[in-house]
Amino acid sequence: TGTQYPHGQLLMPRVVYAYKHHGGDFSAAAKELYRQGYGARIVKAEPIIDLPKIVKDDLTFPIEVFPAVVQRYLLESQDKLNLSLDYMGCSLLWMISLAVGNTMEVEIKSGWREKGSLWLCLVGRAGVGKTPSITQVIKPIEQINNREIKRYQKEQSKFAVYDKLSKEEKKTTEEVKKPSKSQFIVNDITLEALVEVHSEQRKSIGVFKDELAGWFKDMNKYRQGSDFEFHLSSWSGKSVA
């Protein structure tokens, strides 16, 4: 077990060495021993992920563009749940676009910059598993979006009650500020409502339509206007307000 030394150290070879050759300077002793080759060299190792073999000739979507851990998740979902790599990969790109929003731009060349807006249309025969494959990827971000919707509705209800109070009642009541919308995924929404959501959620808004035909049918559904031009402006990242 060793004998306690005055400084609380156990009397071990390294302690003896430090006092004998470096006057008790443990730091200097350690550096010298390390210089002589003693001690382990700490090397940060990358996590080992045993990826299934990818036969690229059998793939349409190049999942190698994703980190290894994401590749494994997609491949496991394909193998265990019989989901489509194409639909999952495209859905993941949509999620990345939504996460990046307008916080970054890509400079193609001097004076030419593009935003991370991504428009995707996933087409397939009925029964090929489009919806399950898409849901497998975007479900986590949809859950966050649903929580934000519920939070806003709850806070809006509190504000509505406070807003109806008289000036005298408000003086004796804790102030309730008007909440802001933090919803970032919308589905069945008018253009006016979409612009309103954008005014409060300025980073990004994801418009998700389960059926492509429904998106086309919604064009000018609520009014005679320029829905087509609106979406063209949105595609190019121009202001629509």
Side-chain angles (χ1 to χ4, degrees), residues 23-225:
D25 188 337
F26 289 94
S27 178
K31 290 179 180 178
E32 176 60 23
L33 288 173
Y34 187 84
R35 188 190 67 80
Q36 295 179 24
Y38 295 98
R41 269 58 176 169
I42 299 176
V43 179
K44 185 177 179 181
E46 293 293 331
I48 300 175
I49 300 177
D50 185 19
L51 285 173
K53 184 178 180 181
I54 300 175
V55 182
K56 294 186 178 181
D57 293 340
D58 296 338
L59 298 179
T60 301
F61 192 95
I63 66 170
E64 62 268 20
V65 301
F66 297 128
V69 65
V70 176
Q71 293 182 41
R72 182 173 181 82
Y73 176 76
L74 297 179
L75 290 167
E76 287 287 334
S77 297
Q78 179 195 42
D79 181 51
K80 301 300 190 296
L81 302 175
N82 196 30
L83 301 179
S84 166
L85 284 175
D86 292 335
Y87 297 137
M88 288 190 292
C90 289
S91 300
L92 187 55
L93 289 179
W94 180 78
M95 276 184 56
I96 294 172
S97 171
L98 181 59
V100 173
N102 58 14
T103 60
M104 299 179 67
E105 292 182 339
V106 177
E107 187 173 57
I108 310 301
K109 61 181 181 180
S110 180
W112 178 8
R113 295 184 178 182
E114 294 290 346
K115 299 183 181 298
S117 300
L118 186 63
W119 294 67
L120 288 171
C121 169
L122 305 184
V123 181
R125 295 188 302 273
V128 297
K130 295 189 298 296
T131 299
S133 299
I134 295 170
T135 302
Q136 178 72 2
V137 173
I138 71 173
K139 184 178 180 180
I141 202 169
E142 281 190 314
Q143 291 176 334
I144 297 174
N145 185 64
N146 291 335
R147 287 202 299 267
E148 291 302 317
I149 293 174
K150 291 178 181 178
R151 178 201 62 79
Y152 172 78
Q153 292 173 340
K154 184 178 180 180
E155 293 182 3
Q156 179 63 24
S157 297
K158 292 181 180 179
F159 174 76
V161 173
Y162 174 81
D163 195 44
K164 291 180 180 179
L165 298 177
S166 65
K167 290 184 178 180
E168 293 302 319
E169 290 175 322
K170 287 181 178 179
K171 290 180 181 179
T172 57
T173 305
E174 183 179 355
E175 181 183 4
V176 178
K177 296 183 179 180
K178 182 177 176 61
S180 59
K181 293 180 180 178
S182 52
Q183 176 183 359
F184 52 87
I185 298 177
V186 297
N187 190 335
D188 187 14
I189 190 171
T190 64
L191 297 187
E192 290 80 6
L194 180 58
V195 171
E196 181 183 351
V197 174
H198 256 301
S199 67
E200 299 189 71
Q201 176 59 271
R202 303 194 174 205
K203 178 183 175 183
S204 62
I205 295 291
V207 180
F208 178 78
K209 286 284 188 181
D210 193 48
E211 294 293 338
L212 182 62
W215 184 61
F216 287 115
K217 289 178 180 178
D218 282 347
M219 295 284 185
N220 299 328
K221 177 179 179 181
Y222 301 100
R223 61 177 176 80
Q224 290 300 316

Side-chain angles (χ1 to χ4, degrees), residues 114-119 191 194-195 198 205 207 215 226-241:
E114 294 290 346
K115 299 183 181 298
S117 300
L118 186 63
W119 294 67
L191 297 187
L194 180 58
V195 171
H198 256 301
I205 295 291
V207 180
W215 184 61
S226 54
D227 289 25
F228 183 73
E229 288 76 10
F230 174 91
H231 289 297
L232 284 177
S233 296
S234 300
W235 177 85
S236 59
K238 295 180 180 178
S239 174
V240 295

Side-chain angles (χ1 to χ4, degrees), residues 11-26 28-36 38:
L11 186 57
M12 295 183 293
R14 63 183 181 85
V15 178
V16 175
Y17 174 82
Y19 275 91
K20 181 178 181 180
H21 298 286
H22 298 278
D25 188 337
F26 289 94
K31 290 179 180 178
E32 176 60 23
L33 288 173
Y34 187 84
R35 188 190 67 80
Q36 295 179 24
Y38 295 98

